Amino acid sequence: MAEAFLTSADAPTEVPLKRRLKRAERARQFKALALVLPCLLFLLFTFLGPIAGMLWRSVDDWEVGRVLPHTVAALADWDGKDVPDEKAFAALADDIQAARASGTAAIASKRLNYALNGFRTILASTARNLKSAPEAGTAKETLGKINPAWRERATWAAIKGASGPMTSFYLLAALDLTRNVDGAIVAAAPDQAIYRDVFARTFAISFGVSVLCLILGFPVAYLLAALPPGRSNLLMIFVLLPFWTSLLVRTCAWIVLLQKEGVVNDCLRWLGIVDEPLRLVYNRFGVVVAMTHVLLPFMILPLYSSMKAISPAYMRAAASLGASPVTAFLRIYLPQTLPGIGAGCLLVFILALGYYITPALVGGAADQMISYFIANYTTETANWGLASALGTLLLLATLLLAVVYGKLVHGQQVTGGMKN
């Protein structure tokens, strides 16, 4: 009777306890969310937002459709096989006069000039000489007399291709491709096909810098991991010391060191290695040297983290089983450092892909990387579409490298687990 009474008396208190626990758990989650929320908002507005804007600008094409709306509507059903009919010419004449009155003609002419060189002149001369709206049925003849370019199919194909609201023009241009008059994708003209070479140069420089950083950083990381903590911490300060100096200052310092009358050339001549100063700056050599110096810590730190986690007992066990130091290093130690090598190479390579200041200051005209062209189109020519397209391709390349690295690391972990 007493046990039954206690059970029935205690039963109602169990439900409020569960509710209090759930309430406490929700409160803990809300507090955690409140702590993380500022960081998430910061990333949203400073990282994800600009990336989304860049992706959209690479396909956005609003200029012509807003300035020449009637022309775009008249060309909607045009098959492109011949010059459009009188309706399209009349619509173009009305749009040109309206754009001249509102002062928006330059917006459309700038965009169309990307598609067809000289279109700005065509549109400007037409707007200047078109005094009044043509009479009914004479728009085609009137515009053809003002500028013979209106009698060519390529002129109208450029307008139709830029009708918007979205386009593949900038992405194709970033790959040295374009669309011909019939709408087929073809290679760009040789004098305009530069971006494939620039991307190849960017990847080649980034790969070379990554290899040099690995060659120079591996022994340093090995030494840091093998030394006692006191000495290791002291040497780590020297590894991190470049972070205390501005990137611009470090780049300018290399210009001073590598110039013809710089310290490096003076030392080479004093040692009798060369008779005349070498050209060590404003070329590919200067770019690689300066970028390697700047990015070397980003290789050492992942390697050091990976090597520090390797127990010395593995090497001692291999030696006790008769393995030589070289064999033990190659078969026991080196495979365990592969995650650090992969992380360091990926980090250095991705950082090198987007470098701008160092190649711009230390490199020559033939050594500029893709970041230089992105900055130029953003700040100098205001061609946001092409700048965003180049940035989008660079972002896709970076994501592809990250995916490949993730696959390799995952495969290595699975293989290691099966061996164990």
Side-chain angles (χ1 to χ4, degrees), residues 74-75 77-86 88-89 140 149-158 160 181-182:
L75 293 176
D77 299 327
W78 178 51
D79 57 6
K81 295 180 180 179
D82 198 359
V83 177
D85 55 14
E86 175 69 19
F89 280 87
K140 186 174 183 179
W150 296 117
R151 300 170 183 169
E152 299 178 4
R153 194 159 54 106
T155 306
W156 293 94
K160 185 174 178 61
V181 180
D182 297 322

Side-chain angles (χ1 to χ4, degrees), residues 198 201 279 282-284 287 359-360 362-369 372-373:
V198 175
R201 182 193 312 153
R279 189 170 180 268
Y282 306 124
N283 53 17
R284 186 71 55 87
V287 172
V362 184
D367 303 297
Q368 298 302 321
M369 301 170 68
Y372 170 83
F373 293 88

Side-chain angles (χ1 to χ4, degrees), residues 310-323:
I310 300 175
S311 175
Y314 294 128
M315 298 294 287
R316 291 197 295 266
S320 66
L321 294 174

